């Protein structure tokens, strides 16, 4: 693992892994979409609307998975001071926000025909909305602090505070929801689900995960290049950009 | 702290002087009292929010009495968070924060005492004012007591959560808005249980109030570490 | 997929939005990569230029 | 006691401020950090005070050796230095391991840091300001400290009404009020008139005679015997 602390090694690893994950993602999403749109049956209650679930549930899963990735990266930044951890953390935040946004919009599109309104203060949607706000806060914190090293440590602290808070938020929103809407509302998914629906769902979920991994690697590569560029620009501004510097890998 | 015989002489010297944390609390309270604006401004802002809400929802007494606890809680939440951005910033700008870091007293405890001072100056006046503003919203006496008790138990948690945001944004010139963006989502649980304890007829007072107290205790136990860590990293 | 079903518009909209969001992520990341590469090359050329001038 | 700093380097915002810096300083010695603007003088002091993380390198504090202790007569500061060290439980392992290493936070507790900012609250009086820092940093007599820096007459004025020189002296009064063995002074003489400069010079000499250590960053010459550490432009 320490070997990949060196960004140049990491960039080499990306070059090897990228075609694999990109190909895997394309294949999985193609199969998953085919199954979700054409093979899986329409629900006897919800009709065709159930097909939104194949997007909604995987993106909800990604919203949490990306936060998990960011939390481990935050620990990597604060505890192990791994140089790639804050790159990973910064690259993941906008992707997590995008998946969370997707989860919210698909949830809303599913809610309109099912519940008759575009937005319902359903426990799960509300929790995801709060998670979305936390993602936006993390992105804002990245943007306003200029020094990447300092930003990384402060964002890592906030990410961990959020990680402790997310289960509490989930618990309190569930409690709040049962308090205000005791009537049973049909929930998406559920413990019992037919195999014809489960397979497309699993394949889409795995496809979304590999999609995230691919994009995450690309975004990390961008971030490494951005830091290299920043360093070189600073050297150039100091009037001390010797020839060798450009060939030297970023640190 | 030390059991060495040589330390006994020191012990006498230590006892004659004030403990660092007590000195810090006295200092912050004194500054708050001398500057004055800090205490009254929070309450005035609280009053402004309570005044503005009926213009938004209409002067329907019954409706106002029903959502009164919620209005008071939202107003307390905003008044607490918007006043917090200077919590550590003033000390960071004039160099006091450097000296906090060089003290033998752990920064975590200093954070707790700073929060205590800030809550006494801004949170407590809000709690004290809430029954009066509750009357303006037409709350029943029982509801007034519940709102006041829930604010008393819940506002310390808001101050402590806000302290994390204040520490994260300490080096930013205009960190106030960002502080609110960072901390408002995290204060959702406090708001939920606070409002439920304040005025939900279905669930009663005890359960949400106890959970609210638990949240405050958890905030006391955990947030100082996050805030202190952020302050240590904000210097560079 | 039955296009004539009552709510199929919502399904299509959901998939379209997912497509747009994912495409935006992919295109945004790749465009960012290209512009970073270009900037890096520019600064490398600049350094070479300075180096030539010095020698 | 002595400080041994080796291979210090500090980075801020991806920029190397200085690298590979080292120096040694024994009890009673002063080090004058010189260099042009932006060379990292303030950064070095802040790093020594533990306020900035070191990118690499380490700082060792070694307590005075036994022999040296026997011969020296204990001045008040020296005994406090030893007390501080004792308090940290360092004397305990000095038997088997004379060179105990402080981690930076512990080092910070041995240091006085006088930075660019005077750390005074304008709403509080001078005496209140100083009494707070005395309590925070480890206790001491503030009346004597104020008198020593010629501030006794204005001790009950709010700091807001003081001149820059008076504020600077109030910050320097911390050095007298609280005994700490290592002084890190960033431009200590700024805004001071000649008479105050003389007083501060005396304070520094006394501190050194009692076995204290001083690291000062300054453009102006200091009225004490000191070794120089000249920092160049980064890279």
């Amino acid at each position: 693992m320490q070997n990949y602390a060196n960004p140049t090694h990491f960039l080499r690893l990306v070059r090897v892994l990228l075609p694999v994950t990109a190909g895997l993602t394309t294949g999985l999403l193609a199969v998953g979409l085919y199954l979700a749109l054409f093979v899986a049956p329409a629900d006897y209650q919800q009709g065709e609307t159930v097909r939104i679930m194949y997007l909604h549930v995987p993106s909800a899963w990604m919203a949490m998975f990306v936060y998990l990735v960011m939390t481990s990266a935050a620990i990597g930044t604060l505890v192990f001071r791994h140089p790639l951890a804050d790159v990973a953390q910064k690259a993941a935040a906008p992707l997590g926000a995008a998946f969370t946004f997707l989860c919210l919009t698909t949830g809303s599109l599913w809610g309109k025909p099912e519940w008759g309104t575009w937005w319902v203060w359903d426990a799960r949607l509300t929790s995801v909305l709060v998670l979305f706000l936390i993602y936006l806060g993390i992105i804002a914190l990245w943007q306003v602090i200029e020094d990447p090293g300092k930003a990384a440590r402060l964002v890592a602290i906030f990410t961990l505070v959020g990680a402790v808070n997310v289960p509490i938020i989930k618990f309190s929103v569930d409690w709040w929801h049962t308090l205000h809407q005791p009537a049973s509302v049909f929930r998406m998914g559920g413990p019992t689900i037919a195999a014809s629906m489960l397979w497309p769902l699993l394949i889409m979920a795995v496809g979304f995960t590999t999609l995230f991994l691919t994009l995450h690697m690309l975004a990390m590569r961008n971030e490494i290049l951005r830091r290299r560029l920043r360093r070189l620009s600073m050297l150039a501004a100091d009037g001390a950009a010797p020839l060798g510097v450009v060939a030297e890998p970023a640190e | 702290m030390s059991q060495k015989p040589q330390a006994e002489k020191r012990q006498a010297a230590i006892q004659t002087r004030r403990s660092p944390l007590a000195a810090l609390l006295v200092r912050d309270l004194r500054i708050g009292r001398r500057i004055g604006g800090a205490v009254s401004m929070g309450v005035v802002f609280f009053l402004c929010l309570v005044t503005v809400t009926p213009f938004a929802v209409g002067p329907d007494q019954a409706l106002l009495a029903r959502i009164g606890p919620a209005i008071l809680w939202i107003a307390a939440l905003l008044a607490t968070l918007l006043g917090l951005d200077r919590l550590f910033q003033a000390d960071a700008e004039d160099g006091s924060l450097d000296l906090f870091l060089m003290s033998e007293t752990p920064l975590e405890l200093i954070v707790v005492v700073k929060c205590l001072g800030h809550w006494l100056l801004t949170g407590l006046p809000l709690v004290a004012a809430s029954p009066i503003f509750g009357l303006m919203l037409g709350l029943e006496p029982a509801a007034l007591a519940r709102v006041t008790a829930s604010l008393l138990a819940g506002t310390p948690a808001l101050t402590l959560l806000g302290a994390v945001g204040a520490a994260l944004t300490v080096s930013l010139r205009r960190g106030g808005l960002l502080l609110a963006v960072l901390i408002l989502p995290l204060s959702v649980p406090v708001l939920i249980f606070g409002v439920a304890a304040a005025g939900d007829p279905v669930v009663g007072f005890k359960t949400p109030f106890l959970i609210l107290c638990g949240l405050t205790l958890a905030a006391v136990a955990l947030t100082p570490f996050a805030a202190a860590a952020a302050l240590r990293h904000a210097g560079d | 997929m039955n296009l004539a079903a009552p709510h199929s518009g919502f399904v299509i909209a959901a998939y379209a939005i997912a497509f747009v969001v994912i495409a935006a992520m992919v295109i945004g990341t790749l465009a960012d990569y290209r512009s970073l590469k270009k900037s890096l090359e520019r600064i490398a050329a600049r350094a070479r230029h300075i180096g030539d001038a010095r020698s | 006691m002595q400080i041994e700093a080796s291979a210090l380097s500090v980075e801020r915002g991806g920029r190397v401020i200085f690298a590979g810096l080292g120096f040694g300083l024994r009890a009673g010695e002063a080090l004058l950090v010189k260099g042009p603007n932006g060379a990292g003088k303030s950064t070095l002091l802040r790093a020594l005070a533990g306020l900035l993380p070191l990118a690499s390198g380490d700082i060792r504090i070694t307590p005075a050796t036994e022999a040296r202790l026997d011969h020296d007569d204990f001045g008040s500061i020296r005994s406090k230095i030893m007390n501080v060290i004792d308090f940290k439980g360092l004397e305990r392992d000095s038997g088997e391991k004379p060179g105990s290493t402080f981690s930076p936070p512990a080092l910070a507790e041995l240091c006085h840091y006088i930075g660019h900012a005077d750390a005074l609250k304008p709403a509080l009086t001078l005496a209140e300001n100083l009494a707070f820092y005395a309590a925070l940093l480890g206790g001491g007599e503030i009346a004597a400290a104020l008198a020593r820096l010629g501030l006794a007459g204005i001790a009950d004025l709010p700091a807001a009404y003081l001149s820059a020189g008076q504020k600077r002296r109030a910050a320097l009064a911390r050095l007298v009020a609280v005994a700490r063995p290592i002084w890190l002074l960033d431009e200590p003489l700024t805004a001071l008139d000649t008479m105050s400069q003389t007083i501060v010079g005396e304070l520094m000499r006394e501190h050194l005679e009692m076995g204290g250590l001083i690291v000062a960053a300054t453009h102006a010459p200091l009225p004490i015997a000191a070794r120089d550490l000249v920092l160049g432009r980064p890279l």
Side-chain angles (χ1 to χ4, degrees):
Chain A
M1 199 56 205
Q2 203 56 40
N3 202 16
Y4 298 116
N6 184 330
T8 317
H9 290 191
F10 175 78
L11 290 182
R12 202 174 303 148
L13 185 75
V14 167
R15 266 201 296 282
V16 176
L17 282 184
L18 202 56
V20 181
T21 56
L24 211 57
T25 307
T26 321
L28 281 166
L29 286 185
V31 174
L33 278 176
Y34 173 73
L35 290 179
L37 286 177
F38 302 108
V39 177
D43 191 78
Y44 74 98
Q45 246 183 338
Q46 304 173 42
E48 296 291 341
T49 332
V50 76
R51 299 190 196 279
I52 297 179
M53 181 183 77
Y54 304 118
L55 290 176
H56 177 77
V57 173
S59 34
W61 148 246
M62 291 317 295
M64 282 181 285
F65 177 75
V66 176
Y67 203 88
L68 207 65
V69 168
M70 283 172 48
T71 306
S72 4
I75 293 170
T77 301
L78 289 177
V79 180
F80 304 108
R81 304 191 175 273
H82 196 281
L84 274 179
D86 54 324
V87 173
Q89 200 191 352
K90 186 173 183 185
L95 299 176
F99 280 115
T100 315
F101 174 76
L102 194 55
C103 175
L104 289 173
T105 43
T106 50
S108 173
L109 280 169
W110 181 83
K112 178 67 182 162
E114 288 308 310
W115 289 323
T117 54
W118 288 105
W119 182 260
V120 171
W121 292 93
D122 161 70
R124 187 187 303 188
L125 276 180
T126 311
S127 303
V128 174
L129 179 61
V130 177
L131 185 61
F132 184 59
L133 293 178
I134 294 176
Y135 272 120
L136 295 185
I138 287 173
I139 295 173
L141 200 55
W142 270 116
Q143 281 171 347
V144 294
I145 301 173
E146 208 271 328
D147 171 3
K150 178 173 157 185
R153 288 190 290 272
L154 292 180
V155 171
I157 292 168
F158 182 68
T159 308
L160 291 184
V161 172
V164 173
N165 235 287
V166 164
I168 302 177
I169 292 172
K170 179 90 182 89
F171 160 73
S172 44
V173 169
D174 284 347
W175 186 87
W176 162 84
H177 186 250
T178 50
L179 181 69
H180 291 280
Q181 283 184 310
S184 70
V185 183
F186 184 85
R187 295 290 207 75
M188 278 186 166
T192 54
I193 182 165
S196 56
M197 290 182 170
L198 188 61
W199 274 111
L201 193 58
L202 281 179
I203 290 173
M204 286 296 280
V206 177
F208 268 45
T209 312
T210 56
L211 173 67
F212 164 71
L213 293 178
T214 312
L215 287 171
H216 193 214
M217 277 195 285
L218 286 172
M220 280 176 75
R221 183 171 73 178
N222 286 353
E223 187 54 31
I224 289 169
L225 293 184
R226 200 187 322 280
R227 286 183 189 193
R228 191 180 285 185
L229 180 66
R230 184 173 181 275
R231 222 164 50 93
L232 290 177
S233 309
M234 261 174 359
L235 282 177
D238 285 348
L243 264 180
V245 170
V246 179
E248 176 203 2
E251 283 157 26
Chain B
M1 282 161 94
S2 170
Q3 287 83 37
K4 307 244 164 174
Q6 208 183 359
E8 279 172 15
K9 241 187 318 177
R10 287 175 56 86
Q11 209 59 40
I14 287 173
Q15 261 147 25
T16 55
R17 71 181 163 94
R18 222 162 20 192
S19 100
L21 294 175
L24 177 62
L25 185 63
V26 169
R27 179 192 83 142
D28 277 7
L29 292 180
R30 213 175 249 160
I31 293 173
R33 203 188 63 214
R34 300 242 169 104
I35 293 178
V39 180
S40 52
M41 196 68 85
V43 178
V44 171
F45 183 66
F46 192 45
L47 175 61
C48 287
L49 289 173
V50 171
T51 313
V52 162
T53 319
F55 292 115
V57 300
D60 177 358
Q61 271 304 330
L63 176 68
L64 282 177
R66 197 164 62 79
I67 63 170
I71 295 173
L72 289 173
W73 255 93
I74 297 267
L77 178 67
L78 293 178
T80 307
L81 286 190
L82 293 182
L84 265 173
D85 58 328
R86 294 291 294 170
L87 180 61
F88 300 116
Q89 218 166 36
D91 287 329
E93 281 166 7
D94 69 13
S96 314
L97 184 61
D98 292 342
L99 299 175
F100 293 167
L101 287 162
M102 301 185 72
S103 156
E104 289 167 31
T105 315
L107 190 58
E108 286 78 6
L109 290 179
I110 289 180
V111 167
V112 174
V113 171
K114 290 282 299 177
C115 289
L116 175 64
H118 189 270
W119 182 78
L120 289 174
L121 284 172
T122 62
L124 198 57
L126 292 189
V127 176
S130 60
I132 304 163
F133 298 162
L135 283 176
M136 291 163 59
L137 295 170
L139 294 188
E140 298 295 316
L144 283 180
R146 285 174 68 172
V147 169
T148 312
S150 70
L151 282 174
L152 186 65
T155 45
L158 296 179
T159 303
L160 285 157
L161 277 174
V164 177
L168 288 169
T169 57
V170 72
S171 59
L172 303 175
R173 201 159 298 155
R174 297 168 62 90
L177 202 57
L178 180 62
L179 185 153
V181 166
L182 291 177
I183 298 306
L184 277 175
L186 301 185
S187 56
V188 164
V190 177
L191 188 66
I192 286 176
F193 291 107
V195 173
D200 200 283
V202 185
V203 32
F205 177 68
K206 200 174 160 200
T207 314
F209 184 75
L210 288 180
I211 298 177
L212 186 65
C213 293
L215 287 175
T216 301
L217 288 179
V220 172
L222 297 176
T223 55
F225 292 96
L231 286 177
R232 287 204 182 91
H233 290 304
D236 49 296
Chain C
M1 176 86 200
N2 176 11
L3 282 178
H7 298 305
S8 55
F10 292 99
V11 180
I12 293 167
Y15 280 82
I17 286 176
F19 180 78
V20 169
V21 168
I22 291 170
M25 280 196 278
V26 173
I27 292 170
T29 318
L30 291 177
D32 195 19
Y33 180 67
R34 285 176 66 122
S35 79
L36 280 168
K37 270 283 186 207
K38 215 175 280 172
S39 309
L40 272 172
E41 270 161 25
R42 201 179 313 132
I43 208 158
R46 208 180 117 108
R48 256 196 304 280
H49 180 70
I50 293 170
D52 290 345
R54 272 188 193 156
S55 58
Chain D
M1 87 185 296
Q2 63 182 51
I3 310 180
E4 202 75 52
S6 54
L8 303 183
S9 59
V10 171
E11 286 179 27
R12 293 176 77 178
R15 201 185 281 259
V16 178
I17 307 288
F18 54 76
L21 198 87
F23 65 86
L25 200 62
R26 281 204 300 275
E29 288 184 338
L31 187 72
L32 214 56
V33 186
K34 291 179 168 171
N37 287 333
K41 300 190 292 294
S42 301
T43 308
L44 174 61
L45 288 189
R46 288 184 70 79
L48 288 176
L51 299 171
L52 283 181
L54 290 172
S56 69
D58 70 337
I59 304 168
R60 281 163 171 270
I61 305 271
T62 321
T65 59
E66 301 294 327
R68 211 183 142 79
L69 271 182
D70 288 342
H71 291 195
D72 280 348
D73 52 334
F74 274 50
S76 67
I77 295 222
R78 159 146 307 247
S79 78
K80 267 173 182 147
I81 295 171
M82 293 319 299
N83 265 337
V84 170
I85 290 166
D86 188 49
F87 206 56
K88 298 288 154 214
L90 268 177
E91 205 76 321
R92 191 181 47 229
D93 19 334
S94 70
E96 58 256 35
K97 208 177 76 175
S100 306
T101 312
F102 273 93
S103 60
L107 172 63
E109 289 159 20
L110 292 176
C111 296
H112 265 303
Y113 171 71
I114 306 285
H116 289 295
D118 294 322
L120 299 173
K121 289 289 172 195
L124 300 182
T125 69
L126 218 48
E128 285 167 344
N129 267 305
L130 195 57
F132 166 64
Y133 288 119
L136 181 77
L137 297 173
E141 194 52 52
I142 68 153
L146 286 168
R148 188 68 205 273
L149 282 137
L151 296 166
I154 51 170
D156 55 348
L157 280 186
Y161 302 133
L162 302 187
S163 73
Q166 287 166 326
K167 283 182 187 163
R168 197 64 184 158
R169 275 187 279 157
L172 289 164
R174 293 204 305 266
L175 300 172
V176 186
V178 182
R180 286 191 167 190
I182 303 165
W183 289 5
L184 306 171
L185 311 176
D186 200 348
E187 300 288 358
L189 302 183
T190 334
L192 293 187
D193 55 25
T194 334
M195 217 175 80
S196 316
Q197 291 192 359
T198 319
I199 297 174
V200 175
E202 275 168 25
L203 286 178
M204 292 204 244
R205 267 193 300 278
E206 282 169 25
H207 181 64
L208 293 176
E209 274 162 24
M210 285 189 283
L213 293 81
I214 297 178
V215 181
T218 178
H219 289 295
L222 283 185
I224 48 168
R227 285 188 287 129
D228 284 356
L229 176 72
V230 181
L231 301 182
R233 287 276 300 157
L235 286 175

